[in-house]
Amino acid sequence: MTRSYKHMETSVIHEGYDTKEMLGSLTPPLFQTSTYTFESAEQGERRFAGEEDGYIYSRLGNPTVTILEERIAALENGERGLAFSSGMAAISAVLIALTKANDHVLCSSGLYGCTFGLLTMMKEKYNITHDFSSMGTEEAIRSKIKPETVCIYVETPINPTMRLIDLEMVARVAKENDIVVVVDNTFASPYLQNPLDLGCDIVLHSATKYIGGHGDVIAGLAVGKKDLLDEIAMTTLKDIGGVIAPFDAWLLLRGLKTLPVRMERHCTNAEEIVKRLKAHPNVSTVYYPNDESHPDYPIMKKQMRRGGGVISFSLKGTKKDAQAFLNHLSFLKIAVSLGDTETLIEHPATMTHAVVPEESREKMGITDQLIRLSVGLEAWQDIWADLEQALNQIKINSDAYSKA
Ligand SMILES: *Cc1c(COP(=O)(O)O)cnc(C)c1O
């Protein structure tokens, strides 16, 4: 699908839906049905033989889901989109479709915890091995490519360190070696970054986050070339069966309409909070891509529209101080997930990344002092007031800090 409209703000509202086809209904109807009736036995035969277009059964396709799939394909400038019951259903369907026993996957050094869990399982069950690379230079990538490497799997911004990877460079090196590049674009959303435009092959989203945007749905999306996505639709989506529920697709269509407006506000709020965090005496480091002091700021300028709504920062002090800081917050919510209207704050070392062995955690920069903040859509003045009063209350034990 190429976008039918010049601007994303219009595409998020209109793409993939024609009111004339749905009795004039302004909003896409919710087709809450498991199956579809055939007018005759012969029609059923033709549908199953693929000789006639039409719906058969909702695991194979549903009109509400189709609208969502066409819309996300247009937003990511891909030929076909697919919707899944979760981000992990999308990630597992794509990785299982791309690999066979004894293949190799090269990953960014920093992966969503359950993606890491999936790759570990694939290694144990099928000897599909994986390696990590910072992907900071072409050489760093080339040195980790093996004859059996079939896929490069990248997250950028990386959770929760907010380091970035130059997608155009990764795609270039991958092409030389006929390797498929898959990008988890959850943190950026289709509004801030479009990996397919940079030469990558498949883009994935946990739609649970910015695409849904309201903290009320778990879902996943994948977009890419038609032949590749057709194959996934007919194999790891259909036969493993992680399909999205029609109502969840409907919620995502509603969430998408405000994506550009929400992302602009998430970014503005984050920028205001970053400025203040950097100046607070109890904060040692702030990690945010749209900040000139961030090591990957030039990559941000090159491939992202703005820096996004997630900030990580290190507190001075110990794990106890980090937990005390969270406990002092008044209305900001302690929760994992991100991209919601509510500001969510969490402690990666003991929550999202608790499963990562301590050694690898330290290497990934996930210290006991690191806090991840998903800046919501509340007034930044109120968000900052709550953060500031909680920061002011922690009494840093200077002995502990000098040892840390
Ligand atoms: C949340 C998340 C996932 C998993 O998505 P679910 O919808 O929870 O299955 C994958 N990747 C990233 C970067 C995420 O933040």
Side-chain angles (χ1 to χ4, degrees), residues 294-348:
H294 189 286
D296 303 321
Y297 180 70
I299 302 178
M300 195 290 304
K301 282 289 191 202
K302 190 175 154 193
Q303 69 189 24
M304 294 176 76
R305 207 193 272 246
R306 291 180 77 176
V310 180
I311 304 165
S312 289
F313 58 97
S314 297
L315 292 174
K316 293 176 185 168
T318 62
K319 172 178 159 187
K320 270 207 165 59
D321 295 307
Q323 290 181 321
F325 161 70
L326 293 183
N327 291 335
H328 284 307
L329 291 166
S330 94
F331 84 96
L332 298 184
K333 309 298 181 206
I334 306 173
V336 299
S337 197
L338 55 113
D340 293 339
T341 50
E342 291 83 357
T343 294
L344 304 179
I345 193 161
E346 66 118 358
H347 185 238

Side-chain angles (χ1 to χ4, degrees), residues 9-18 22 26-31 62-73 75 83 207 210-214 216-217 219 221 244-260 262:
E9 288 79 353
T10 311
S11 287
V12 291
I13 296 171
H14 293 288
E15 210 78 59
Y17 181 56
D18 183 355
M22 301 287 180
L26 176 66
T27 58
L30 169 58
F31 282 83
N62 171 288
T64 309
V65 175
T66 302
I67 298 165
L68 172 66
E69 290 178 338
E70 288 186 5
R71 192 162 293 177
I72 190 64
L75 298 180
Y210 288 106
I211 290 177
H214 294 73
D216 51 15
V217 59
L221 296 165
I244 193 170
F247 181 57
D248 291 349
W250 187 89
L251 282 173
L252 294 187
L253 283 166
R254 186 165 78 161
L256 268 175
K257 290 183 185 187
T258 54
L259 181 74
R262 287 186 285 110

Side-chain angles (χ1 to χ4, degrees), residues 3 13 21-22 41 44 65 78 95 103 168 213 215 224 235 244-245 303 312 318 358 370 391:
R3 270 181 220 159
I13 296 171
E21 289 173 9
M22 301 287 180
V65 175
L95 280 174
D103 280 345
E168 186 270 324
T235 57
I244 193 170
Q303 69 189 24
S312 289
T318 62
E358 194 174 340
L370 190 74
L391 282 170

Side-chain angles (χ1 to χ4, degrees), residues 143-162:
S143 67
K144 292 278 178 76
I145 292 177
K146 302 177 177 187
E148 58 272 25
T149 307
V150 292
C151 169
I152 296 182
Y153 187 95
V154 177
E155 274 181 37
T156 178
I158 294 178
N159 172 28
T161 57
M162 305 310 290

Side-chain angles (χ1 to χ4, degrees), residues 86-88 91 112 115 155 184 186-187 206 208-209 218-219 338:
S86 70
M88 283 317 303
I91 292 166
Y112 185 73
T115 305
E155 274 181 37
D184 181 335
T186 300
F187 269 50
S206 167
T208 311
K209 316 294 167 54
I218 299 271
L338 55 113

Side-chain angles (χ1 to χ4, degrees), residues 47-48 56-61 69 80 82-85 89-90 92-94 96-97 228-244:
R47 293 255 172 111
F48 270 87
I56 296 174
Y57 181 69
S58 276
R59 182 158 41 75
L60 316 179
E69 290 178 338
R80 181 164 185 195
L82 289 175
F84 298 81
S85 56
S92 55
V94 166
I96 293 169
L228 204 49
L229 275 279
D230 281 353
E231 189 195 319
I232 293 168
M234 293 312 289
T235 57
T236 50
L237 174 55
K238 173 176 80 69
D239 297 340
I240 297 178
V243 291
I244 193 170

Side-chain angles (χ1 to χ4, degrees), residues 266-286:
H266 280 300
C267 293
T268 300
N269 281 358
E271 287 164 14
E272 295 293 340
I273 299 297
V274 164
K275 265 190 255 169
R276 287 160 180 83
L277 281 173
K278 284 175 78 171
H280 197 283
N282 287 350
V283 173
S284 59
T285 323
V286 179

